Amino acid sequence: MATTVTEPGLKRVERLERIWVEPRGVLGWLTTTDHKRIGLLYFFTTLAFFGAGGIEALLIRTQLAEPNAKVLSPETYDQLMTMHGVTMIFLFVIPMSLGAFGNYLIPLMIGARDMAFPRMNALSYWLFLASGLFMYASVFLHAAPNAGWFDYVPLALKQYDPGRNIDFYALGLIFNGISSTAAAINFIVTIFKLRAPGMSMNRMPLFCFAMLAVSLSLIFALPSLTIDLVYLELQRNLGFHFFDVAHGGDPLLWQHLFWLFGHPEVYIIILPAFGIATSIIPTFSKRKMIAFPLVALAELLVAFIGFGVWAHHMFATGLPTITLVFFAAASMMVVIPSTIQVFAWTVTVALGRPEFRAPLMFIGGFIVFFVLGGLTGIMFAAIPFDQAATDTYFVVAHFHFIIFGAAVFPILGGMYYWFPKVTGRLYHEGLAKLSFWLTFVGTALTFFPMHIIGLLGMPRRVYTYPSSLGWGAYNLSETIGAFILTAGLLLIFWNLVYSRFRGAPAGPDPFFGGTLEWATTSPPPPYNFPVIPTVRSAYPNWDAEDRRADVARLERGELVLDGGHETPASTVVDAVPDEVLEMPGESPWPLAVAVCTSLLFIMLLTRHYAVAGVFAGFALLAVAAWHSKEPQET
Amino acid sequence: MAAVPLTLPVGAWAGDNQNALHPASKQEHSISVLWWVMLVGCSIGFGVIVILLFLGWVRRNRDYLPFGGRDRAGTAIVIGLGVFVPIVILSLLFVWSDLYVIKTTEAPAANSTPMSVKVIGHDWWWEIRYPGTRAVTANEIHIPVRTRVDMLGTSADVIHSFWVPALNRKADLIPGRVNRLLLDANRPGEYRGQCAEFCGQQHAHMAMYVFADPPNVFRRWLANEARPARKPATPQAREGERLFLNLPCSGCHMIRGTSADGTIGPDLTHLATRTTLAALTLPNKPPDLTHWIEDPQRYKPGSKMPGFSLTSSQRDALVAYLDGLK
C-alpha cells in the first residue's frame, strides 16, 4: 500500500510513528498498552502453560499405559489430573483464543488502533499471568489442587482435604476470573464502539461475532463460578456451612453453581475456534462464507442457549425426571446452531476453489473432530445413555474431541495462518502439512479408543486399573497416540521458531485474506493503519477500490488522525463515526495493580486477612494513580 | 474414521463382566439398544459431513456443487441439512429416549419391589445392608435373580457413584440424599461394578460385585449373613479372636456376636463368605489376607487401615480366625 505514497503522506506516517512509539526493551514490554504486544505476551505465556499441561497429560498417559503401573502415586496422579484440567481450560485455551488471538486480531479486523481500554487490557494480562503463577506455585509446594478441576464437595472440604491444595484452586480461579471479566468487558466495548466507519453489524467479521458471543457469555457465567468459590473458601476457612448437610447445606449447590458456569464455559472454549474457522475457510476457499447472517446468528445463539443446559452434567445425581427431561430438551436444541455452522463451513469449501494449505487442513481436521465430538454430545442428551456413560472414559473421549480436536485445532491452524501477519515471514508449508498429519493421527489415536473402554466400563479419574477387564491394549494405544500428538505439536513449535528467523518474507497479504488485518503491513505498525479504513462489505480487503481510496485519503490527510494518540469511535449498529477518542499511552500502573492484587491473594491464602486488606488498599491507590493525566505528545 | 469396525469387537473382546454392552437386565438392554441405534444414526451423520468435505477436496477446481448449484443451493443445504433435518431427528430421539426408554431405567415406584438393599458409600468401600434383616456386609451384593430389587444408595462421606454396567445406569451416592435404582438381573452371574464419581485417592480401588443367585441360594446366603459370627473352632483361631479384640482391629470393624463394634471399616462378621478384600483390591485367600493385614498401604495407599507389625504366629492366628468367619 505504501508504494504510491508521496511526500505529504509520508510526513503523516512519520508523525504517527512518533506519536505511537513505545519504549524499547523490557521496560517497553512491562508498560505496554499496545494490543498487539499484549496479544504476544498472552501468546507466549499461554504457550508455556500449554507445555505444562501437556507434560501433565503425558505423565497421566504414561501411568495409564498398562494395568497396575506404579509411575505415579495416587496423590500425585490426582494433583496432575486436576492441574491438567485447570491449566488447559483456564490457562491455555481461553487465554490463548481470547487473550492472544482476540487481542491481536480484533482491533486489526475492525480497523481500530487499539482496544477500547488499553490499560485495562494490560491489567487483564498481568492479572492472568499472576493468577497462573499463583496456581502453579502450588505444584512446587507439593500442594497442587487434587479434587479434580470440577472440585466437587464434600471431597474438596477441609474435612477430606485439609491442606492448602483447594485454597490454591479456589483463590487462583477467583483471581483468574477478575482477569477474564476485565478482558471480556474490553472486547465487548471494543467490538461495539471502535469499528471502522461503515462496518455495520452485518459487515462485522464472523471472528468478531464469535468473540462478542464469548465475551458476553463470560461476564454472565463467571459470577456463578466466583460465588461458588467464595462459598467454598468461606466454608473451608471461616466455618460457614453452604455445602454441609448436617447444618442445612447441600453438596449439590456446588454442582449447580459450578455447571451454570461450566457449561457456558464449554461454548466459551469452542466459539473462538468457530471464529478462527470462519476466518480461514473464506480465505483459502477464495469466496465469502455461505449463509453469513445465519452463521453470525448461530454463534450468538449457541452462547445464549448454552446457559440453559447445565444440569445435563448432573443426570446421575437423582434430580427429578421432569428436570432431566427439560435439560435434555435444551441440550438437543443447542445442537441446531452447531449443525448450521458445520454445513456452512463444508458447503463454503465445496462451493469455493479451496487451496488445501496447512491452515485449511487444520480446519478440515477441526470439522471432522467437532462433528465426532458433537455427535457423541447428542448421545448425552439421551438421558438413559448419559446415565450409563457419564463419568466413564466415553465422556473423556467426547470432550477431548471437542476441547482438543475442535477448540485447539483451529488455534494451531490459526497460528500458521496469522504467523506471516505477526512476524512478516512465511512458515514452512511442507513441515506444516506434516505437523498436521501427525497431530491429526495422534489426536484420533489418543482419544478414539476412549469411547470403547468407556463402554467396557472404565470410569474416569482412576489412577490405575486391573488387568482382568480388557482395557490394557486400548490404554496403551492411547498413550502411543499421545506421544505422536506431542511430536506433531513440537514440530509446529519448531516450524514457527525456525520460520521466525529463516522464513521467506511474507508481504502484507500472502493469502489474499478478506478481512482488514491483511490491509496493513506485516507486522502491523503500532498504530495499525496509517489511515482508518472505510468499509462497505463483510470482506473489505477484497474491495480493491476501497483500499486504493485509503491511499488517496492518506495523501489528503482524511481519517489519518495524526493530531494525537487517537482512534475513531462509531455507533453500535451502523458504525457511523461519532467521535474521536484520545487513547491512553503506556503505563506502569496496570502492572502495579496486578502486583498488589497478587500480594492480596497470597495473604488470603496464608490467612493474613488484615494484611490482605492493606494490599487491597494499595491496589486501589494504584488504580487511582493510573487515572492521573499525563502529558500527551502532539 | 473407522468408527464402526473399531467398535464392533467391543462385545467380543471384553475380558470381564463390567461391560455396558453385555446387558444382563431389561434396563441395561434398553440402554444398549439406544446406544446401537444412536451409533448407526451418528455414523450416517458423520459420513455425510466427511463426504461433503471430501467433495470439497476432489472438486477443488470447480466453484459449484456437483448438480450445478451455487450460492442459493448452498444456502438451501445449510438450512435443510443444518436446521430442518436435525430438528426432525433430534425430536424423534428426544421422544424415544427421554420420554419412553427413560421409563425403563427410572427408579422403581416406592414399595413396588419385593425387596430392597441399602448401599452406603464410604472412602473407599461399599456398606451393604438388607432392610428388614440383620444382615450387613461389604463390597459384594447378593440379589435373587429375576427379582426386582430396589437399591437405596447414600454416602457416609463424599460423593460416590453406584454403577454396575451390565445391570443398569448409575446412581450417585450423595450424603444427605437417598438415590434409588432398580436391580433386576435376568440371568444368574457375577457382575462387576465400580465407583464412578471421583472420591479421592483410592477411587480406582472402589469396586464391587453383584451376585445374582438362584432364589434358594440367595435365601440361604441371607440367613447366614443375618446370624452373629461363628465361634472360633480351633485353639489357633481362638487366639486370633483374642488378638482381634485386643488389637486396634475391633475399634474400626464390627464382628457381630463379639465385643468388636467399630463402624469405620467394613463389617467382618462373615468375611470368609466374601470372595475379595478391600473393595475387590485383592482376592480373599489366606495368603492375600496376610499381606493385606501386614501392609494395607502397599495395596491401597491412603486407606484408613494402618499396617500392624505382628509376629508370624500372631499373624497366622489372626488369619485363621478371620478365615473361619463363614
Side-chain angles (χ1 to χ4, degrees):
Chain A
M1 180 164 79
T3 45
T4 56
V5 176
T6 52
E7 190 62 18
L10 283 176
K11 278 246 169 63
R12 294 196 178 92
V13 171
E14 267 172 38
R15 201 147 52 229
L16 282 171
E17 292 280 352
R18 224 172 33 244
I19 294 169
W20 286 83
V21 72
E22 288 198 329
R24 287 172 170 279
V26 177
L27 185 67
W29 286 97
L30 292 178
T31 60
T32 186
T33 51
D34 180 343
H35 71 97
K36 298 180 290 300
R37 298 178 96 182
I38 293 171
L40 286 173
L41 286 171
Y42 263 112
F43 180 79
F44 292 118
T45 311
T46 50
L47 214 54
F49 284 124
F50 184 39
I55 291 168
E56 286 149 11
L58 288 179
L59 287 167
I60 289 170
R61 283 295 351 142
T62 308
Q63 160 71 16
L64 294 176
E66 56 172 7
N68 301 315
K70 294 214 155 42
V71 179
L72 303 171
S73 71
E75 174 61 21
T76 310
Y77 183 92
D78 294 345
Q79 293 191 9
L80 288 173
M81 165 191 94
T82 306
M83 284 308 285
H84 170 71
V86 169
T87 304
M88 291 308 196
I89 291 165
F90 294 98
L91 303 179
F92 169 59
V93 180
I94 294 172
M96 175 59 93
S97 52
L98 212 59
F101 282 80
N103 243 312
Y104 199 99
L105 295 168
I106 287 175
L108 286 167
M109 281 192 182
I110 62 173
R113 283 191 168 149
D114 206 330
M115 296 284 285
F117 308 112
R119 289 186 179 174
M120 194 161 92
N121 198 23
L123 176 66
S124 299
Y125 168 72
W126 294 114
L127 288 176
F128 158 68
L129 173 69
S131 70
L133 295 177
F134 178 88
M135 283 188 266
Y136 262 86
S138 69
V139 174
F140 298 99
L141 297 169
H142 299 291
N146 54 359
W149 88 282
F150 53 97
D151 202 62
Y152 277 8
V153 296
L155 184 61
L157 297 180
K158 199 147 219 163
Q159 201 181 341
Y160 303 103
D161 208 332
R164 293 285 156 85
N165 314 49
I166 301 301
D167 301 316
F168 271 111
Y169 167 94
L171 293 169
L173 288 187
I174 294 173
F175 195 177
N176 189 270
I178 302 173
S179 158
S180 305
T181 306
I185 291 169
N186 211 344
F187 283 123
I188 293 169
V189 177
T190 305
I191 290 171
F192 276 158
K193 286 301 293 177
L194 297 196
R195 298 198 311 279
M199 188 183 278
S200 47
M201 270 289 172
N202 55 336
R203 296 175 188 159
M204 192 165 85
L206 289 169
F207 180 87
C208 300
F209 271 103
M211 290 300 182
L212 179 63
V214 169
S215 304
L216 289 168
S217 277
L218 265 176
I219 55 172
F220 287 102
L222 274 171
S224 175
L225 174 69
T226 306
I227 288 167
D228 218 6
L229 294 166
V230 169
Y231 286 175
L232 179 62
E233 275 303 286
L234 287 174
Q235 173 149 353
R236 281 182 59 89
N237 292 321
L238 295 171
F240 285 70
H241 298 288
F242 297 101
F243 309 118
D244 185 352
V245 180
H247 293 84
D250 189 341
L252 280 192
L253 173 63
W254 169 270
Q255 296 188 23
H256 279 296
L257 286 171
F258 187 84
W259 292 116
L260 181 50
F261 150 81
H263 203 85
E265 175 81 351
V266 176
Y267 297 110
I268 290 165
I269 288 170
I270 194 74
L271 272 165
F274 293 174
I276 295 172
T278 50
S279 303
I280 291 177
I281 289 173
T283 298
F284 292 98
S285 302
K286 306 187 193 80
R287 60 152 299 137
K288 297 169 181 176
M289 275 296 295
I290 195 94
F292 187 102
L294 211 55
V295 174
L297 190 69
E299 286 180 352
L300 295 174
L301 213 58
V302 86
F304 181 73
I305 306 177
F307 278 88
V309 302
W310 79 87
H312 73 210
H313 295 267
M314 301 166 62
F315 279 174
T317 56
L319 297 173
T321 304
I322 184 73
T323 312
L324 304 187
V325 170
F326 169 82
F327 281 97
S331 307
M332 298 263 186
M333 264 164 63
V334 83
V335 174
I336 307 293
S338 298
T339 48
I340 291 174
Q341 292 179 83
V342 168
F343 283 102
W345 300 323
T346 45
V347 169
T348 304
V349 174
L351 275 173
R353 292 172 177 271
E355 198 185 337
F356 280 86
R357 299 181 70 160
L360 189 59
M361 293 171 75
F362 275 97
I363 296 306
F366 148 76
I367 294 173
V368 169
F369 291 145
F370 178 64
V371 171
L372 191 59
L375 289 168
T376 51
I378 295 173
M379 295 180 178
F380 284 108
I383 299 165
F385 179 76
D386 174 290
Q387 291 168 331
T390 188
D391 282 318
T392 72
Y393 261 87
F394 194 92
V395 186
V396 183
H398 156 69
F399 77 78
H400 276 95
F401 275 116
I402 295 295
I403 292 184
F404 193 84
V408 179
F409 262 56
I411 288 176
L412 301 175
M415 282 183 193
Y416 283 129
Y417 178 55
W418 282 294
F419 179 81
K421 177 50 57 189
V422 176
T423 62
R425 289 173 186 273
L426 291 172
Y427 62 86
H428 191 292
E429 188 69 43
L431 282 182
K433 284 183 176 162
L434 178 63
S435 70
F436 165 75
W437 287 112
L438 278 174
T439 43
F440 184 83
V441 170
T443 303
L445 189 58
T446 306
F447 301 116
F448 197 87
M450 291 182 184
H451 293 113
I452 302 168
I453 47 171
L455 296 170
L456 287 179
M458 181 161 171
R460 301 170 71 171
R461 301 159 185 155
V462 289
Y463 75 94
T464 191
Y465 53 92
S467 56
S468 59
L469 297 170
W471 304 337
Y474 296 104
N475 272 290
L476 181 62
S477 77
E478 289 160 14
T479 304
I480 293 169
F483 281 93
I484 295 174
L485 175 53
T486 308
L489 293 171
L490 290 175
L491 188 60
I492 294 173
F493 184 67
W494 163 249
N495 194 345
L496 298 185
V497 172
Y498 174 85
S499 307
R500 164 69 183 80
F501 298 102
R502 299 284 170 82
D509 188 11
F511 306 128
F512 307 103
T515 37
L516 282 175
E517 76 273 26
W518 303 105
T520 187
T521 53
S522 307
Y527 46 89
N528 289 352
F529 303 93
V531 183
I532 301 300
T534 54
V535 173
R536 281 192 301 179
S537 79
Y539 295 92
N541 201 40
W542 288 344
D543 302 331
E545 209 176 296
D546 288 358
R547 301 289 66 83
R548 278 196 294 278
D550 287 345
V551 182
R553 282 190 289 115
L554 179 61
E555 299 298 305
R556 295 199 300 274
E558 264 175 52
L559 274 175
V560 178
L561 304 182
D562 56 347
H565 206 248
E566 293 169 343
T567 198
S570 55
T571 56
V572 173
V573 177
D574 298 322
V576 178
D578 58 357
E579 66 183 305
V580 172
L581 302 175
E582 193 185 304
M583 304 298 281
E586 69 274 6
S587 164
W589 292 110
L591 178 57
V593 175
V595 170
C596 294
T597 313
S598 309
L599 292 167
L600 159 66
F601 274 93
I602 292 169
M603 289 304 133
L604 289 176
L605 180 79
T606 53
R607 294 174 212 143
H608 293 99
Y609 298 117
V611 190
V614 173
F615 284 118
F618 281 143
L620 288 176
L621 285 177
V623 171
W626 118 7
H627 288 91
S628 61
K629 191 83 180 160
E630 44 185 83
Q632 291 285 323
E633 202 176 336
T634 49
Chain B
M1 291 294 305
V4 177
L6 264 174
T7 3
L8 279 179
V10 164
W13 290 4
D16 204 339
N17 39 12
Q18 195 166 316
N19 186 338
L21 304 179
H22 261 176
S25 70
K26 186 176 166 224
Q27 293 71 39
E28 189 59 27
H29 179 75
S30 68
I31 293 173
S32 69
V33 169
L34 184 58
W35 150 256
W36 290 114
V37 171
M38 288 195 298
L39 177 66
V40 171
C42 288
S43 303
I44 294 170
F46 188 72
V48 168
I49 302 290
V50 171
I51 289 169
L52 259 172
L53 266 182
F54 188 70
L55 270 181
W57 178 71
V58 171
R59 300 170 55 86
R60 57 193 174 279
N61 293 320
R62 304 201 188 136
D63 57 358
Y64 54 90
L65 297 170
F67 44 86
R70 287 180 193 266
D71 284 33
R72 279 189 62 172
T75 309
I77 293 180
V78 173
I79 295 173
L81 292 184
V83 182
F84 289 110
V85 173
I87 286 180
V88 171
I89 295 177
L90 291 171
S91 304
L92 290 174
L93 177 62
F94 174 76
V95 170
W96 181 43
S97 71
D98 297 339
L99 301 180
Y100 178 71
V101 177
I102 195 172
K103 297 232 178 293
T104 317
T105 58
E106 256 178 341
N111 303 320
S112 70
T113 58
M115 66 170 281
S116 60
V117 55
K118 198 168 177 196
V119 176
I120 303 156
H122 291 258
D123 271 345
W124 290 279
W125 56 282
W126 312 86
E127 177 183 344
I128 320 288
R129 289 175 175 273
Y130 288 81
T133 77
R134 288 161 185 260
V136 183
T137 179
N139 306 324
E140 297 184 8
I141 303 172
H142 287 249
I143 55 171
V145 72
R146 281 182 288 277
T147 307
R148 286 158 51 87
V149 179
D150 192 4
M151 191 286 296
L152 309 159
T154 188
S155 169
D157 38 50
V158 304
I159 298 176
H160 304 276
S161 189
F162 179 94
W163 186 40
V164 185
L167 293 182
N168 208 338
R169 62 178 171 93
K170 45 181 84 64
D172 289 354
L173 309 185
I174 302 172
R177 283 169 193 257
V178 175
N179 280 335
R180 292 162 52 241
L181 181 81
L182 187 67
L183 295 177
D184 186 4
N186 58 20
R187 56 171 195 264
E190 78 182 53
Y191 305 105
R192 196 177 190 273
Q194 197 169 345
C195 176
E197 186 62 84
F198 180 66
C199 54
Q201 270 195 51
Q202 285 303 330
H203 170 52
H205 286 131
M206 185 166 168
M208 79 191 107
Y209 275 129
V210 172
F211 293 93
D213 301 329
N216 56 333
V217 176
F218 171 75
R219 273 194 299 275
R220 265 205 309 278
W221 174 85
L222 187 64
N224 184 55
E225 291 296 311
R227 280 194 283 270
R230 285 159 198 254
K231 294 285 167 238
T234 64
Q236 189 190 28
R238 272 193 290 278
E239 170 62 9
E241 181 184 38
R242 196 188 61 77
L243 280 167
F244 189 93
L245 298 176
N246 291 325
L247 285 167
C249 312
S250 55
C252 291
H253 294 282
M254 180 171 296
I255 295 180
R256 283 169 276 138
T258 74
S259 62
D261 58 355
T263 54
I264 309 275
D267 182 302
L268 302 181
T269 309
H270 299 285
L271 176 66
T273 63
R274 308 211 276 258
T275 62
T276 59
L277 294 171
L280 277 58
T281 307
L282 294 168
N284 187 13
K285 301 266 167 52
D288 300 292
L289 185 54
T290 308
H291 294 315
W292 173 252
I293 291 170
E294 280 180 338
D295 193 4
Q297 297 299 319
R298 181 172 153 212
Y299 302 95
K300 207 166 173 176
S303 153
K304 286 189 185 126
M305 177 149 158
F308 294 99
S309 50
L310 303 168
T311 65
S312 60
S313 64
Q314 285 177 319
R315 190 191 62 200
D316 293 346
L318 209 48
V319 170
Y321 169 59
L322 293 171
D323 197 41
L325 294 174
K326 300 262 198 269

